[in-house]
Amino acid sequence: MSVTGGMMWVYGAGGSRFFAAAYGNNFTSPDNDLGSLVRNYNSSYTYTAKNQIKWNFNSSGQLTTSSIPTAWP
């Protein structure tokens, strides 16, 4: 969900994380989050966790796909 100055990721269980807008299409992760969030050229978003698992969201913020790296243990 887009909010002024950043993005709010709200979980189904009610928790949330705020990613502050940064330079370009990047966002600054909260202190307790080691992943990264970017806005893609088509207005979708990709969150990449520290372990390289990716979550892809459409421009409305709905989860569309996720992927685990092939070399993931």
Side-chain angles (χ1 to χ4, degrees):
M1 172 184 203
S2 178
V3 293
T4 303
M7 297 291 292
M8 181 72 72
W9 183 345
V10 179
Y11 301 98
S16 64
R17 285 187 261 179
F18 181 74
F19 293 81
Y23 181 76
N25 291 331
N26 297 304
F27 295 86
T28 301
S29 299
D31 290 340
N32 62 347
D33 188 313
L34 301 176
S36 63
L37 178 69
V38 297
R39 182 175 181 220
N40 303 310
Y41 71 93
N42 62 356
S43 297
S44 66
Y45 296 87
T46 300
Y47 174 80
T48 305
K50 179 182 173 185
N51 60 6
Q52 299 305 302
I53 295 175
K54 295 182 185 253
W55 287 271
N56 299 300
F57 301 88
N58 64 21
S59 60
S60 298
Q62 298 166 319
L63 180 65
T64 56
T65 61
S66 61
S67 63
I68 298 173
T70 54
W72 200 65

